[in-house]
Amino acid sequence: MLPLVTTPVTAYGGAVVPVAQAIAASTGAYTAASRSHPDMRLWNPRSGSPDADILGDLGTMQSRSRDLLRNNGVAAGALQTQLDNVLGTGLWLAPTPDWQRLGKTREWAIEWARITKSLWREWAETTCCDAAEGSNLDGLGALAFRAEFYNGAGLAIPLWLPMDGAPAATRIQVIESDRLCNPVGRMDSDTLRGGIEVNEYGAARAYWIRRAHPGDVNTLWTLRTGLTEKDWERIPATTVWGRKRVIHLHDKQRAGQTHGVPALAASLRQFKLQGDYQNAELKSAVVNAMVAVITESALGQDQLVELLSNNTDALEAYQNGLAGRGKSSIDIGAGGQILPLMLGEKFSGFAPARPASQFEPFTTAVFRHIATSLNMPYELLMKDFSKTNYSSARAALLEAWRFFSGRRSHMAMCFYQPVYELWLEEMVNAGKIEAPDFYQNRFAYAHCRWYGPGRGWVDPVKEIEAALLRIEGGISTLEAECAEQGADWREVLDQRAIEQQYAKKLGITLTGGKTAAQVSATKPAAKKEAPADGEDKTEEETEAAAA
């Protein structure tokens, strides 16, 4: 039998807290949670749910992010740098159906992938995939990527718009996430979060899309006449058979979160203050640049008046000359003037103090903080590699590439893959692609890889040698190495075969297919140069320099 444990209670029924426990609660065992420490006592952020923390501030963060991207060159450059490295010219499809799961052969999978890829290009690489008929799929992907960057979410609506001569009726409409909101100002609830209807598990069941953008010029008339629920459209998340009807592209940082936040949210304050500081320095530098010399007088005004007090005519002439100095000056153009000197005056040189000596180190420190918040190296954010050696540049770019690879996988999984599955379903139902029991084996048929532009090389010779060694050592494949540089290995081999056949026809022998050892053997010996200041040195070089 377990012993009976009794807890003393107060006259009001509350538990009596021991003195030591009460002291620990007031002081805190962790300084991070202290409410009495002078550095921490005023830091009391609210503790809300993911949506409670986000939805109330989301509109302000979005408008400020968009304003910053319109008016700040570094912020706009950061977006373009991420877009160039994540999507670049676009992602290309490599269908890889699970032939073992489908009970097929490898040869069947290769032929099926060839047909599927050909039909996909006919649709995705033309404007037939865009409901607005203005972009191909990669253009729509870039639009969704930008929207997620500055709005926190990209939103796309798959539509069924059959047209004569079009390869498919499926079309994608990318819209602003501002249109995703509660109808007629309805308050958020357990089942409605910022325009998204969710079930008890947090899964989206429907989206309320406003028919016009809240900030559109035509909205003023709508506000005068009054909004009704007809100004919104409720779109179910999927059809009854599972076809997606809304593609909502956003990052989730906490469980239960239904909306994303702009990528610039954590650094908006730093961007704003740095921009204000830079503008102030620029204005000061412009004003200082307008001053070439200043006039100094050995006599004060009181002394001059006393000196000329016995001669009223001379005093009046001096005062009139001082008042009309601008009229008697000589204009030399471009805002410059030669001023006449008055009695007791002389010219003195002027040394402007702008920009301040600490301007560059301070702005560099701020931009390093901003670069960290954007998961980018400072050198890549500012496009400045002038103070970086090879090893540091390569380490920075490798770190950035991990982030870009993650964002590319996110775009592939949340945008390109759902679009591909929508298109594939239509092609199967239209009989253009053979896929028996498609709905029972949807994942096996839709399995694929997405490749994008290569990461580039810092030192092409060294990195090509490393790629050849990886292939020779059996730890990599031609497909992986080609994909690393944004190429399709089958297309590379097909093109090489065409070139070799044509060269043979012309009686020309093409070089190629060398191993890493052969490449190293034929490479001319490079002249050894002393490393520049700041670059990496070997142990022997360091000892020799010390000697």
Side-chain angles (χ1 to χ4, degrees):
M1 182 176 179
L2 294 175
L4 180 64
V5 178
T6 60
T7 302
V9 296
T10 65
Y12 299 98
V16 176
V17 180
V19 175
Q21 185 177 348
I23 294 175
S26 62
T27 58
Y30 290 91
T31 304
S34 174
R35 297 185 183 275
S36 58
H37 194 282
D39 296 335
M40 307 293 287
R41 62 187 177 189
L42 298 180
W43 188 9
N44 298 299
R46 66 182 183 185
S47 179
S49 68
D51 285 341
D53 287 344
I54 292 172
L55 295 180
D57 299 333
L58 185 57
T60 304
M61 289 191 292
Q62 289 175 340
S63 59
R64 288 177 177 174
S65 294
R66 293 195 288 253
D67 180 73
L68 189 68
L69 287 165
R70 286 192 297 264
N71 298 291
N72 188 291
V74 177
L79 169 57
Q80 191 61 45
T81 297
Q82 290 198 13
L83 179 60
D84 291 343
N85 285 275
V86 175
L87 293 183
T89 56
L91 304 187
W92 48 270
L93 169 70
T96 54
D98 190 347
W99 53 272
Q100 293 174 316
R101 172 71 177 83
L102 296 170
K104 304 289 186 179
T105 63
R106 189 186 299 274
E107 290 72 20
W108 171 90
I110 294 174
E111 180 62 19
W112 189 91
R114 184 188 65 79
I115 296 172
T116 302
K117 189 174 181 179
S118 176
L119 292 171
W120 169 259
R121 283 181 169 178
E122 182 184 1
W123 179 78
E125 295 183 2
T126 65
T127 59
C128 294
C129 63
D130 183 11
E133 301 180 13
S135 301
N136 59 15
L137 187 63
D138 291 320
L140 297 177
L143 199 59
F145 181 89
R146 290 190 184 96
E148 186 180 14
F149 186 90
Y150 55 70
N151 283 336
L155 203 60
I157 310 298
L159 302 175
W160 186 266
L161 301 173
M163 294 180 65
D164 294 338
T170 300
R171 293 186 179 238
I172 308 300
Q173 182 187 22
V174 177
I175 64 174
E176 280 277 344
S177 61
D178 297 30
R179 294 172 58 185
L180 177 62
C181 54
N182 293 345
V184 205
R186 193 183 301 174
M187 298 296 293
D188 290 325
S189 64
D190 292 340
T191 57
L192 182 63
R193 301 295 179 90
I196 303 177
E197 287 186 16
V198 296
N199 62 11
E200 63 271 24
Y201 303 108
R205 285 293 172 255
Y207 296 81
W208 286 89
I209 307 297
R210 189 166 172 172
R211 298 185 186 277
H213 192 283
D216 192 68
V217 292
N218 295 324
T219 307
L220 182 61
W221 174 254
T222 307
L223 292 174
R224 288 178 179 176
T225 57
L227 293 171
T228 65
E229 198 165 294
K230 294 181 179 179
D231 293 308
W232 276 260
E233 181 181 1
R234 182 184 181 275
I235 304 178
T238 61
T239 61
V240 292
W241 63 89
R243 180 180 173 87
K244 270 186 175 291
R245 295 200 58 191
V246 177
I247 298 174
H248 188 203
L249 182 69
H250 68 289
D251 260 339
K252 288 188 176 182
Q253 299 173 346
R254 296 173 63 185
Q257 181 178 333
T258 59
H259 290 71
V261 297
L264 296 172
S267 56
L268 274 176
R269 182 170 176 267
Q270 284 75 18
F271 262 121
K272 176 67 168 58
L273 295 178
Q274 193 280 332
D276 292 344
Y277 172 59
Q278 185 169 341
N279 289 336
E281 282 288 343
L282 183 59
K283 289 178 182 178
S284 298
V286 170
V287 171
N288 289 338
M290 293 180 179
V291 182
V293 293
I294 58 176
T295 59
E296 293 182 357
S297 176
L299 298 174
Q301 291 293 318
D302 295 339
Q303 293 173 311
L304 283 171
V305 171
E306 183 180 354
L307 179 65
L308 300 174
S309 60
N310 296 328
N311 190 340
T312 55
D313 293 337
L315 179 59
E316 184 178 357
Y318 171 78
Q319 292 175 338
N320 291 337
L322 192 63
R325 181 195 293 247
K327 296 179 181 178
S328 58
S329 63
I330 302 173
D331 191 354
I332 59 175
Q337 289 182 335
I338 299 177
L339 299 176
L341 292 177
M342 303 304 293
L343 181 64
E345 290 184 342
K346 66 176 182 178
F347 283 126
S348 298
F350 175 72
R354 288 292 188 273
S357 59
Q358 295 301 314
F359 174 73
E360 184 177 357
F362 177 76
T363 54
T364 299
V366 173
F367 280 128
R368 287 189 185 280
H369 177 94
I370 292 173
T372 302
S373 71
L374 294 174
N375 296 290
M376 295 170 60
Y378 166 80
E379 293 81 5
L380 203 56
L381 174 67
M382 303 303 294
K383 302 292 194 300
D384 180 14
F385 290 85
S386 60
K387 299 179 182 178
T388 306
N389 57 36
Y390 170 79
S391 299
S392 299
R394 191 169 187 277
L397 292 177
L398 285 175
E399 185 66 25
W401 188 248
R402 292 189 185 96
F403 169 69
F404 295 143
S405 298
R407 301 312 300 169
R408 180 177 293 179
S409 298
H410 170 71
M411 282 296 299
M413 178 183 69
C414 298
F415 181 79
Y416 281 86
Q417 184 67 28
V419 172
Y420 172 60
E421 292 177 6
L422 292 169
W423 170 86
L424 182 61
E425 179 186 12
E426 180 183 352
M427 292 296 100
V428 171
N429 288 325
K432 295 183 178 180
I433 294 178
E434 180 186 356
D437 301 324
F438 173 76
Y439 290 101
Q440 290 77 16
N441 300 285
R442 187 194 299 254
F443 175 77
Y445 282 112
H447 188 268
C448 63
R449 296 191 183 99
W450 295 95
Y451 297 114
R455 63 180 176 88
W457 288 315
V458 178
D459 188 331
V461 175
K462 291 181 181 178
E463 297 187 36
I464 289 173
E465 289 179 1
L468 291 173
L469 286 172
R470 286 194 293 268
I471 294 175
E472 290 176 19
I475 59 176
S476 184
T477 63
L478 183 61
E479 179 185 16
E481 298 300 332
C482 286
E484 188 78 6
Q485 297 306 318
D488 185 338
W489 68 279
R490 285 193 176 89
E491 292 182 357
V492 170
L493 292 181
D494 289 342
Q495 184 63 29
R496 281 176 57 86
I498 293 171
E499 292 173 0
Q500 288 177 351
Q501 184 178 1
Y502 187 72
K504 183 178 180 181
K505 180 180 178 181
L506 298 178
I508 300 173
T509 302
L510 293 179
T511 59
K514 293 184 178 180
T515 63
Q518 291 171 330
V519 170
S520 299
T522 57
K523 186 174 63 174
K527 182 179 179 181
K528 191 172 183 180
E529 297 180 358
D533 292 340
E535 292 190 355
D536 298 335
K537 297 181 181 181
T538 63
E539 229 177 89
E540 295 80 1
E541 289 171 339
T542 305
E543 292 175 0

